[in-house]
Amino acid sequence: MSSGGSDTSSRRDSFNSERGEEANQGSSSSAPFKYLPKHIFGSIEYPGPISHPSSILKVISQQDINECFNAPSSSSASSNTSSVARPILEMRYRGLDDPSSFESPVRGHRIPSQKLLLKITKRRRKGKDKDEGVFRSEVVGSVPQTVRFRSMADYQWTPDPEGPTANLVNSLKSLDYNAILDYSFSPLEEDFLQPHSNPFDPKIKYKSKLDLQPTPIFSTKNLPYSYNYKVPNQVVSEPFFDRRTQTWKRRYVNKARVAGVGPINVPHDHKLGDVPREPTMQVKNKLGELDAGLLKKLKDLFEERPVWMRYALFARFDVNERKELQRVKAYIPTVSYIMGTGPFWKCLVRFGYDPCGDRESYKYQRIFFYPNKKTVKTPINVDPLDSEEENEGVNETKQKGWWVEKQEQLIEQGERPPLDMTEAHIFNGRYLNRERGDYQFIDITDPLIARYINDVDKLNNKCSLQTGWYPPSLFRLIKNLIRTKYMYVWENHYPAPDNLCEGFIEEYNSGKYLVEDLNQDEGEVEGDEEEVEGVDDGVVDEGDQDDEEQPGG
């Protein structure tokens, strides 16, 4: 269908005026050009049989139809919240004139459409028994908006028309103030059912005598799509053993999913010696994609030291090698597995080596804590009852990143050596290269602390979940020494003196915590729960973040 304009062929064939005139009149075309009328109509797709368009007014009022089609679009309606009209049309199957109608309406939504309204005229010939005639079609206008009903029908329930619930609803509709105030719940009777015949379902022989309130709206969701429950081509059926029922069953497995290549996770309470000795088949299949030189260097480092923290391990590689290790996830699982709990939590361990069965692995234990940064004013650590005079001494400029800025100032003033990210995993008690208290014992070089770490005569014969190879009293001392010196260097940016730790050493030498060692020897110690699975002093360890944190980043 076109909307006017002269025929272009007549311009090309201007030498034949008669032919051009016929083309303009449309005599040479079987479908002449017609102008599109400017009349606009609205369309309602009624979900059911209907005999005449006016029958729609039995289930939808004319006022609702006008408000629906005159309502603004969704974008303009959102900006003008005062508009009451919405592009939604509510229909009641039982009719608008039914006074006992308590059902929830079915909603239809107005959507834009591009349709034309055709008028079909049929003229029958007189004297013809057969249904033959002349048909003529005419475009009477366009239909730019259509209301479609795609929502599910709601549950219907009809209360007793003479009951208290129906009377209350009618009072609300008529705004009968006195009737609403006088409403009260009637007492329940002992007999809740009465015989009743249902013509639609003969199996239902009783009717409830409970006069309940009308049910709320059940659902306004659209009808679900029909997926035909077809299984994708990548999904196959495989057998598996159900340990709960001790039977073999079948389940669908999506073979298109890429298998993960993360390190094998081993808990602390595993059977001694029962550790992985080779990578998984998924990792073996990716060995051909790895760089041989980088893989050899990685294996040599695990031969040099069987247990690594990820941050300490990556410090032995240059920038390009670290990027390759981060990009290709199969390097680490090729040579090591990871401990999931205990004193070696989140440490990478060489295949075949069990730190829980080797007493010499005490030096590879991990100890971590997070400083209580009370010098940073936040709503969490500032007491609202403190006076402003007490808070004047707090440095309000210490926000996120303040520590690094302070170190840069000290470096410019020559008061400390430059930051070395390859030494960030080492704690010497003098200077910090990383704002995080997370170390392995082998990387703690402070002479005072190292003396107690290497006191091997005090080590236990069994690796515990909480303190590893150390008795609780010695482990507590080592942790207090590290925390004290770390906090001093972190706060003051200068080497920590040994006299800060005299009080902890005196408590340890006095035997104040020996009872913990005796309980552990008897197998009754419950352990310092703050060290289990990365929880310390009420702060959850950010081990996952540490795995992604690399030197120089």
Side-chain angles (χ1 to χ4, degrees), residues 162-289:
E162 302 297 335
T165 300
N167 294 332
L168 175 62
V169 174
N170 294 330
S171 300
L172 293 174
K173 290 181 179 180
S174 60
L175 297 179
D176 190 347
Y177 180 74
N178 295 325
I180 296 174
L181 292 180
D182 295 339
Y183 175 78
S184 62
F185 291 94
S186 58
L188 298 179
E189 300 179 0
E190 295 183 359
D191 188 10
F192 299 103
L193 297 176
Q194 64 181 0
H196 177 75
S197 60
N198 192 332
F200 300 100
D201 191 351
K203 296 181 179 179
I204 301 178
K205 301 180 180 180
Y206 296 93
K207 179 180 180 180
S208 175
K209 297 176 62 177
L210 291 176
D211 193 54
L212 302 177
Q213 297 180 0
T215 56
I217 296 178
F218 168 67
S219 174
T220 58
K221 297 295 183 181
N222 293 342
L223 293 175
Y225 291 100
S226 178
Y227 293 100
N228 296 327
Y229 301 99
K230 292 183 179 180
V231 180
N233 298 329
Q234 302 86 353
V235 175
V236 297
S237 178
E238 289 186 353
F240 79 100
F241 184 75
D242 190 349
R243 296 182 178 179
R244 184 175 61 86
T245 60
Q246 298 295 318
T247 57
W248 283 92
K249 297 181 179 180
R250 300 192 68 85
R251 62 182 176 185
Y252 289 103
V253 180
N254 190 354
K255 290 297 184 179
R257 183 177 180 181
V258 180
V261 291
I264 304 175
N265 193 304
V266 177
H268 175 81
D269 56 352
H270 65 278
K271 185 179 180 181
L272 293 181
D274 187 13
V275 295
R277 302 185 180 278
E278 60 180 3
T280 60
M281 186 59 62
Q282 290 85 353
V283 176
K284 290 182 179 179
N285 295 335
K286 295 183 177 295
L287 290 178
E289 305 174 7

Side-chain angles (χ1 to χ4, degrees), residues 375 395 398 402-411 415-417 429-432 435 485-496:
T375 55
N395 188 0
K398 287 187 177 181
W402 70 272
W403 186 85
V404 177
E405 295 179 0
K406 181 63 177 180
Q407 305 311 305
E408 294 176 353
Q409 296 176 3
L410 296 176
I411 294 173
E415 299 182 6
R416 66 150 296 163
R430 298 177 57 81
Y431 301 102
L432 300 178
E435 191 186 9
K485 286 203 167 187
Y486 179 92
M487 289 300 301
Y488 183 88
V489 179
W490 184 81
E491 288 278 3
N492 302 285
H493 316 288
Y494 294 104

Side-chain angles (χ1 to χ4, degrees), residues 476-536:
R476 180 190 292 266
L477 172 64
I478 296 173
K479 183 174 181 178
N480 289 334
L481 297 180
I482 298 175
R483 185 195 293 272
T484 302
K485 286 203 167 187
Y486 179 92
M487 289 300 301
Y488 183 88
V489 179
W490 184 81
E491 288 278 3
N492 302 285
H493 316 288
Y494 294 104
D498 293 343
N499 56 11
L500 296 174
C501 306
E502 292 179 355
F504 299 108
I505 297 176
E506 291 178 359
E507 289 182 355
Y508 173 74
N509 294 332
S510 64
K512 181 178 180 180
Y513 304 109
L514 290 180
V515 63
E516 298 181 4
D517 301 345
L518 297 177
N519 291 337
Q520 188 185 57
D521 294 338
E522 296 175 0
E524 298 177 356
V525 63
E526 295 181 359
D528 188 1
E529 295 182 356
E530 64 183 12
E531 291 295 333
V532 179
E533 295 193 9
V535 179
D536 175 48

Side-chain angles (χ1 to χ4, degrees), residues 272 356-357 359 458-464 468-469 520-521:
L272 293 181
C356 298
R359 196 165 179 260
K458 302 290 182 61
L459 299 181
N460 294 330
N461 295 325
K462 184 179 179 180
C463 183
S464 67
W469 295 101
Q520 188 185 57
D521 294 338

Side-chain angles (χ1 to χ4, degrees), residues 64-78 83-90 107-112 145-149:
D64 293 342
I65 296 176
N66 296 338
E67 291 180 356
C68 177
F69 283 100
N70 294 331
S73 58
S74 300
S75 58
S76 59
S78 59
S83 178
V84 180
R86 298 176 300 167
I88 296 177
L89 195 59
E90 294 184 346
R107 289 186 174 184
H109 296 268
R110 191 195 68 192
I111 61 174
Q145 296 177 345
T146 301
V147 175
R148 292 179 178 176
F149 293 90

Side-chain angles (χ1 to χ4, degrees), residues 291-549:
D291 181 77
L294 184 59
L295 184 59
K296 183 179 183 304
K297 183 177 180 179
L298 189 62
K299 291 181 178 180
D300 294 340
L301 289 175
F302 274 93
E303 290 295 334
E304 173 188 338
R305 174 171 160 180
V307 183
W308 289 87
M309 284 178 56
R310 190 182 295 264
Y311 195 85
L313 176 64
F314 279 27
R316 303 291 292 270
F317 296 90
D318 57 33
V319 177
N320 295 330
E321 291 174 339
R322 287 198 299 269
K323 290 182 178 179
E324 181 68 12
L325 292 176
Q326 289 178 329
R327 186 183 68 86
V328 183
K329 304 299 182 181
Y331 279 101
I332 299 297
T334 303
V335 296
S336 64
Y337 65 94
I338 191 171
M339 295 295 296
T341 55
F344 305 96
W345 184 58
K346 282 191 176 294
C347 290
L348 301 173
V349 185
R350 184 184 64 204
F351 279 128
Y353 180 77
D354 188 359
C356 298
D358 184 10
R359 196 165 179 260
E360 293 297 323
S361 66
Y362 72 92
K363 64 184 73 173
Y364 305 125
Q365 285 187 207
R366 176 189 179 193
I367 187 170
F368 59 90
F369 60 89
Y370 294 93
N372 188 11
K373 302 179 181 180
K374 291 186 177 181
T375 55
V376 182
K377 290 191 65 176
T378 64
I380 297 178
N381 55 44
V382 174
D383 191 352
L385 300 180
D386 292 342
S387 61
E388 296 182 358
E389 291 77 7
E390 295 176 354
N391 293 330
E392 287 180 355
V394 180
N395 188 0
E396 298 183 2
T397 61
K398 287 187 177 181
Q399 301 297 331
K400 184 177 181 180
W402 70 272
W403 186 85
V404 177
E405 295 179 0
K406 181 63 177 180
Q407 305 311 305
E408 294 176 353
Q409 296 176 3
L410 296 176
I411 294 173
E412 294 178 357
Q413 299 171 4
E415 299 182 6
R416 66 150 296 163
L419 293 176
D420 188 1
M421 291 297 102
T422 61
E423 301 291 331
H425 60 286
I426 296 177
F427 179 75
N428 54 16
R430 298 177 57 81
Y431 301 102
L432 300 178
N433 291 293
R434 181 191 183 201
E435 191 186 9
R436 187 168 183 179
D438 191 359
Y439 305 99
Q440 284 182 276
F441 284 164
I442 193 175
D443 296 325
I444 299 175
T445 60
D446 182 88
L448 177 64
I449 304 175
R451 183 174 63 189
Y452 292 97
I453 291 177
N454 297 322
D455 191 1
V456 295
D457 296 336
K458 302 290 182 61
L459 299 181
N460 294 330
N461 295 325
K462 184 179 179 180
C463 183
S464 67
L465 175 66
Q466 291 79 22
T467 61
W469 295 101
Y470 290 84
S473 59
L474 182 56
F475 187 85
R476 180 190 292 266
L477 172 64
I478 296 173
K479 183 174 181 178
N480 289 334
L481 297 180
I482 298 175
R483 185 195 293 272
T484 302
K485 286 203 167 187
Y486 179 92
M487 289 300 301
Y488 183 88
V489 179
W490 184 81
E491 288 278 3
N492 302 285
H493 316 288
Y494 294 104
D498 293 343
N499 56 11
L500 296 174
C501 306
E502 292 179 355
F504 299 108
I505 297 176
E506 291 178 359
E507 289 182 355
Y508 173 74
N509 294 332
S510 64
K512 181 178 180 180
Y513 304 109
L514 290 180
V515 63
E516 298 181 4
D517 301 345
L518 297 177
N519 291 337
Q520 188 185 57
D521 294 338
E522 296 175 0
E524 298 177 356
V525 63
E526 295 181 359
D528 188 1
E529 295 182 356
E530 64 183 12
E531 291 295 333
V532 179
E533 295 193 9
V535 179
D536 175 48
D537 292 347
V539 180
V540 180
D541 178 43
E542 301 175 2
D544 295 335
Q545 182 179 355
D546 176 57
D547 293 343
E548 300 297 332
E549 190 178 3

